[in-house]
Amino acid sequence: MSVAEEIKRLHELHQAGALSDEEFAAAKARLLNNPPAGGTSDITTLRRSRSDRWLGGVCGGLGRISGVESWIWRVLFVLFVVTFGFGIAIYILLWIFVPEDELIGN
């Protein structure tokens, strides 16, 4: 559920009398300061890894945001290349369009 939908739901509860003015204001402030997890927040942080890489760092970046080991992503890409043939195209597109990690300390 998006932040806008959550605020709408809170407003409906407030209008129905389930939330007082203070409770509504506190819940709205809490929601705006800490938006719910999920949605597109994880995919927007996708970056190619500089430290966990064999070729372009795509699998290392996917491993970091998904919580799945990068070697599993590598195996999946190899399986897609061997069985369907399009794994290499996906990898190359990710290599081109996903930005690389920023160097920390420079």
Side-chain angles (χ1 to χ4, degrees):
M1 193 178 286
S2 71
V3 174
E5 291 169 336
E6 288 284 338
I7 291 176
K8 182 180 176 185
R9 192 168 142 241
L10 284 174
H11 180 70
E12 290 170 355
L13 288 172
H14 181 251
Q15 292 296 323
L19 294 174
S20 68
D21 291 339
E22 295 81 23
E23 291 171 331
F24 174 71
K28 184 177 172 183
R30 194 169 43 246
L31 183 62
L32 292 175
N33 290 334
N34 301 317
T40 60
S41 62
D42 288 338
I43 197 67
T44 59
T45 61
L46 176 60
R47 300 284 185 262
R48 291 185 293 123
S49 176
R50 288 183 178 258
S51 58
D52 185 10
R53 69 187 317 163
W54 283 7
L55 292 174
V58 172
C59 293
L62 286 170
R64 184 176 44 243
I65 67 161
S66 68
V68 176
E69 295 287 331
S70 59
W71 67 269
I72 295 173
W73 284 104
R74 290 182 184 105
V75 168
L76 287 173
F77 275 108
V78 169
L79 287 174
F80 278 122
V81 168
V82 171
T83 57
F84 304 112
F86 63 84
I88 192 75
I90 293 172
Y91 190 90
I92 290 172
L93 287 172
L94 287 171
W95 193 347
I96 292 170
F97 291 110
V98 173
E100 196 168 39
D101 269 348
E102 299 286 326
L103 279 178
I104 298 173
N106 283 346

